[in-house]
Amino acid sequence: MSASEVIARNLNEIRLAIEAACERAGRPAGSVQLIAVTKYAELDWVRALVALGEFQLGESRPQQMCRRAEELSGDVRWHMIGHVQRNKVDMVIPVAELVHSVDSLRLLRKIEGSAAAVGRRPGLLLEVNVSGEDSKDGFDPVELSTHWQEILDLQHADIRGLMTMAPRVDDPEFARPFFRKLRVFRDELADRSDGRLELPELSMGMSGDFEAGIEEGATLVRLGSRIFEGLNRGDQ
Ligand SMILES: *Cc1c(COP(=O)(O)O)cnc(C)c1O
């Protein structure tokens, strides 16, 4: 099988799994958007993915996202899903459709300034470390809660929701409570927003746990390895 055929088969299985999870959760199938994470994929595979009609692509490194944005033509929408250093913000703002990984107030303030200067406002998700692991990026929920009023007052930051990463383990059921926590936290913040921020988007779920994410309310799932399963680097 060619890389394109492998990817097409994987995408088909993923779409069916997404539909089934939506069905279990009593949600319409169109309420979940797949973000194809291409950080470990060969450029040829990414081209195949785009040719198959997948235009929502995620990268975790600003340089690679910007390089690939130039290499790929067409309707690609870029999702920044990895940590963004403040000195990379000016590179990310003109390219990203949605930044999933806004993980500190300092970064958020920097984006606020750059978005105003460039006159482009990518969507933003605030990354929350709901599991409290030291190794994880993301806002501590208490910190985010404490600064919520200041965040509501930002003029140029287009904040659309929250993102989290569950601890990596084999059993997706282990991820579920963290996803639920993120949804409950989103509801709390939206309640405290005087209608100024509705936070409709929840980015939660990766290859190993996206079904649990959807059942707990994810509107965006970020899948990498599952899409390219069966391919080895160098495959055409
Ligand atoms: C790599 C990555 C993913 C995709 O992980 P897979 O397990 O390969 O699906 C999703 N989200 C983030 C933030 C990532 O860095």
Side-chain angles (χ1 to χ4, degrees):
M1 271 202 279
S2 68
S4 174
E5 286 166 330
V6 173
I7 293 167
R9 182 199 59 195
N10 290 345
L11 280 174
N12 199 37
E13 289 171 7
I14 292 165
R15 287 207 191 92
L16 291 173
I18 290 176
E19 280 171 28
C22 284
E23 173 101 29
R24 287 195 295 280
R27 304 175 51 192
S31 63
V32 177
Q33 171 87 59
L34 172 66
I35 310 303
V37 176
T38 51
K39 63 184 179 194
Y40 297 133
E42 302 258 5
L43 187 60
D44 281 342
W45 305 351
V46 186
R47 289 193 206 282
L49 194 59
V50 173
L52 288 164
E54 285 301 323
F55 298 118
Q56 309 282 341
L57 306 186
E59 284 284 344
S60 61
R61 287 178 29 238
Q63 293 96 325
Q64 180 155 317
M65 179 184 75
C66 293
R67 180 161 35 81
R68 288 190 159 179
E70 289 180 4
E71 287 166 337
L72 295 164
S73 52
D75 283 332
V76 176
R77 302 276 186 271
W78 290 101
H79 293 253
M80 186 70 238
I81 63 170
H83 179 64
V84 180
Q85 289 174 300
R86 279 174 301 147
N87 63 8
K88 298 292 185 314
V89 166
D90 290 340
M91 166 190 284
V92 166
I93 294 268
V95 176
E97 170 91 1
L98 186 65
V99 181
H100 294 230
S101 43
V102 180
D103 54 12
S104 71
L105 271 177
R106 275 157 39 112
L107 176 60
L108 186 55
R109 290 188 192 115
K110 169 71 186 161
I111 293 174
E112 165 87 358
S114 294
V118 175
R120 186 170 190 274
R121 302 170 74 216
L124 306 175
L125 304 179
L126 304 176
E127 179 174 355
V128 184
N129 181 357
V130 280
S131 64
E133 291 165 283
D134 287 344
S135 59
K136 281 253 164 74
D137 292 324
F139 282 95
D140 168 43
V142 175
E143 179 200 10
L144 193 52
S145 208
T146 307
H147 290 93
W148 192 239
Q149 194 56 49
E150 177 190 342
I151 292 171
L152 283 180
D153 289 338
L154 297 174
Q155 299 293 314
H156 303 285
D158 179 12
I159 300 170
R160 303 199 188 145
L162 305 182
M163 180 273 231
T164 200
M165 288 175 75
R168 265 199 195 265
V169 288
D170 288 338
D171 181 0
E173 283 309 309
F174 190 78
R176 187 182 296 276
F178 300 104
F179 295 152
R180 188 169 300 163
K181 236 172 134 173
L182 190 73
R183 170 164 48 87
V184 168
F185 187 48
R186 184 277 305 273
D187 293 346
E188 278 172 35
L189 292 177
D191 278 350
R192 290 175 50 206
S193 295
D194 305 323
R196 282 192 278 170
L197 284 182
E198 293 180 0
L199 307 174
E201 307 290 352
L202 288 175
S203 173
M204 51 189 201
M206 319 197 330
S207 291
D209 54 21
F210 68 98
E211 288 154 298
I214 292 169
E215 288 168 16
E216 297 303 326
T219 59
L220 300 153
V221 290
R222 312 175 307 269
L223 274 68
S225 48
R226 184 71 192 78
I227 294 176
F228 303 104
E229 205 170 284
L231 292 176
N232 295 304
R233 292 189 77 86
D235 285 354
Q236 297 276 312

